[in-house]
Amino acid sequence: MYIDTHSHIYAEEFDNDRDETVRRAFEADVRYIILPDIDRTTRQSMLALAGQYPDNLFPLLGVHPTSVNASYKEEMKAFEKLLGQTTIYGIGECGIDLYWDKTYYKEQIVVFERQLHIAREMDLPVVIHSRESLPEIFAVLKKQHYNMKGILHCFPGNEEDARRAIDLGFRLGIGGVVTFKKSSMAEVVGKIETEHLVLETDAPYLAPVPFRGKRNESSYIPCIAAKIAEIRGVDTKKIQEITTNNAMNLFNLHSKSVDNKF
Ligand SMILES: [Zn+2]
């Protein structure tokens, strides 16, 4: 069994075939899918979908850094109001994004730090989004004086960054980018032990080869595992076992029994 640790299949890109997409994932042996939150505009559809598949789809709550703007306080209020009211498996995705817009950089840090604090209080893993912002992310994480756990999603760094993230308590989220030519993610995967990796699609974005450029979905997870296996010179089965176990431990999914009805 595989786990997709990062998928936005509740997004409007899947409005016409969401159930078929979930079914295709199950048929590809991707039985568990983690749903990272974005903001108020998508949260209801995420929670509704998770409610439809409570044994297989697991939601997080959080505020994405690209959703931090002048009304960030209301955004945070809406997010925090739901904490404790609904079953969640982690906090996120949160972080810093300096690629799309730097206008609210300071606010992004405030919102990120607040979510790290909540994750600590609730003893939940945190899923971190980083784009053009790895040094800034590390600066924030270094200020946290407790044992963190979570994922640096779509890991954007080199081997040294990877070691740093692992030392801070994080797993590296490896997705479709690993299959692209000249990908630094492929280099990292060649050097970092599989015990520190988890698989993710980031659907609908970043589809792996041979689907590059198309809409991404969880059923493509085995392509990512196969590529990691090729890079590391081991069996895909081995990659599957280790990354699934990593994700099970991180999101505390051992008490779930895999639902085979599909
Ligand atoms: Zn995402």
Side-chain angles (χ1 to χ4, degrees):
M1 177 186 92
Y2 287 104
I3 300 180
D4 182 353
T5 61
H6 200 113
S7 170
H8 301 281
I9 36 172
Y10 55 85
E12 60 183 12
E13 281 86 345
F14 297 97
D15 279 356
N16 293 325
D17 62 348
R18 190 167 288 107
D19 288 314
E20 288 89 328
T21 307
V22 172
R23 174 181 291 269
R24 279 195 297 277
F26 292 168
E27 282 167 0
D29 208 19
V30 183
R31 304 296 177 95
Y32 288 172
I33 301 173
I34 304 291
L35 306 174
D37 193 10
I38 296 177
D39 62 27
R40 281 178 290 182
T41 63
T42 54
R43 189 164 295 137
Q44 278 321 311
S45 52
M46 177 187 76
L47 294 174
L49 181 65
Q52 211 187 316
Y53 298 94
D55 297 321
N56 305 85
L57 271 54
F58 309 121
L60 315 182
L61 278 180
V63 175
H64 195 286
T66 60
S67 301
V68 174
N69 51 40
S71 55
Y72 78 97
K73 284 185 180 158
E74 286 90 86
E75 196 62 69
M76 285 304 283
K77 223 179 260 171
F79 147 68
E80 291 190 36
K81 211 179 123 191
L82 277 176
L83 295 169
Q85 284 184 26
T86 180
T87 307
I88 57 166
Y89 295 81
I91 297 294
E93 56 182 300
C94 57
I96 304 172
D97 188 312
L98 301 177
Y99 174 80
W100 291 108
D101 192 356
K102 296 187 181 74
T103 316
Y104 296 100
Y105 174 51
K106 279 191 186 136
E107 289 82 358
Q108 283 192 36
I109 290 183
V110 170
V111 169
F112 180 32
E113 285 182 331
R114 175 77 189 140
Q115 291 180 84
L116 287 173
H117 176 78
I118 290 167
R120 176 194 184 177
E121 293 286 297
M122 297 182 74
D123 192 26
L124 287 171
V126 59
V127 171
I128 297 181
H129 168 104
S130 166
R131 192 146 184 212
E132 307 278 322
S133 64
L134 203 50
E136 290 82 0
I137 294 272
F138 279 133
V140 169
L141 294 180
K142 256 181 68 182
K143 285 199 284 177
Q144 317 300 316
H145 298 291
Y146 66 96
N147 293 331
M148 289 176 283
K149 56 182 173 183
I151 297 173
L152 272 174
H153 135 70
C154 195
F155 185 71
N158 57 26
E159 187 192 358
E160 197 189 326
D161 299 323
R163 297 276 172 215
R164 222 172 148 190
I166 292 162
D167 285 347
L168 286 163
F170 289 88
R171 307 273 191 213
L172 314 177
I174 306 298
V177 175
V178 78
T179 67
F180 298 175
K181 273 196 185 119
K182 293 184 205 150
S183 143
S184 64
M185 200 184 263
E187 250 173 70
V188 166
V189 159
K191 290 172 181 152
I192 301 293
E193 303 72 21
T194 314
E195 281 68 19
H196 302 297
L197 311 179
V198 291
L199 306 180
E200 63 172 38
T201 55
D202 202 14
Y205 311 109
L206 297 168
V209 172
F211 306 103
R212 190 171 180 179
K214 300 207 173 93
R215 185 186 69 172
N216 199 2
E217 60 174 65
S218 298
S219 70
Y220 300 162
I221 280 283
C223 302
I224 296 162
K227 183 66 188 185
I228 297 174
E230 182 196 315
I231 294 168
R232 299 190 60 78
V234 298
D235 269 9
T236 304
K237 185 85 193 139
K238 192 92 203 143
I239 302 297
Q240 179 193 52
E241 278 171 16
I242 299 172
T243 57
T244 293
N245 193 43
N246 291 345
M248 295 279 275
N249 289 336
L250 185 61
F251 292 104
N252 202 13
L253 300 175
H254 287 288
S255 59
K256 295 272 164 191
S257 58
V258 180
D259 178 12
N260 289 316
K261 299 188 292 286
F262 65 89

